[in-house]
Amino acid sequence: MTARYGINENQVRAFNKMIRVSHQKLNLVCDMVRGLPVERAVDVLKFSKKRVAGEVLKTLLSATANAEHNKKLPVETLFVKEIWCGKALTMKRIMPGPRGSARPILKPFSNLTIVLESGTAPSKKKAAKKETTK
């Protein structure tokens, strides 16, 4: 049964808006944890060298807390069902250029959404076998 906002009863969401990084760099970190169990995803993010991994970790822990306190879901069975990022605003600044001209500086922001689901995470090996058989 689908609840409000298109998520099921065994799913929770968490948002992080206006992260000061481009969506392309944020998407690299999102790809690392997509489909992993929460405990494994936390370990991957803690030891990642990417600067934005701390923001993703903070959002993941917030989603875990939402699942535990709001929906009473067991934390051991949670996995990252969906994780995506998108563009937010872009600050525009100007740097002086040669001969009195101006050069633009673009400082992008991003939004992050994480959806956790309770159950067993689909293994990547099974998904790869299905793609090869088709």
Side-chain angles (χ1 to χ4, degrees):
M1 167 143 187
T2 305
R4 286 177 63 180
Y5 307 116
I7 60 172
N8 296 331
E9 296 297 324
N10 64 339
Q11 293 179 344
V12 291
R13 286 196 303 194
F15 302 103
N16 194 349
K17 297 182 180 182
M18 302 300 287
I19 302 171
R20 179 57 187 88
V21 70
S22 72
H23 71 282
Q24 294 170 325
K25 293 177 184 178
L26 181 58
N27 198 31
L28 293 174
V29 177
C30 291
D31 289 341
M32 289 193 304
V33 298
R34 188 173 285 123
L36 293 179
V38 169
E39 294 169 352
R40 176 86 175 110
V42 168
D43 290 340
V44 168
L45 291 172
K46 278 185 181 176
F47 293 103
S48 174
K49 292 184 177 183
K50 301 282 187 183
R51 177 181 61 88
V52 74
E55 290 289 328
V56 178
L57 177 63
K58 184 171 72 170
T59 310
L60 181 65
L61 294 177
S62 174
T64 306
N66 289 345
E68 187 176 7
H69 295 290
N70 298 346
K71 293 212 176 175
K72 308 288 190 265
L73 296 175
V75 178
E76 301 82 30
T77 63
L78 292 175
F79 69 96
V80 181
K81 170 103 172 142
E82 298 175 19
I83 180 170
W84 71 87
C85 60
K87 290 183 182 181
L89 67 82
T90 301
M91 285 195 307
K92 295 169 181 72
R93 300 291 181 258
I94 296 174
M95 180 177 67
R99 306 178 95 184
S101 64
R103 301 282 181 238
I105 297 174
L106 303 177
K107 298 185 175 190
F109 285 79
S110 301
N111 295 330
L112 175 66
T113 304
I114 297 179
V115 177
L116 301 181
E117 185 173 311
S118 180
T120 58
S123 67
K124 294 184 179 183
K125 291 180 182 177
K126 290 181 182 178
K129 286 182 182 179
K130 288 180 183 179
E131 290 177 7
T132 57
T133 56
K134 288 184 179 179

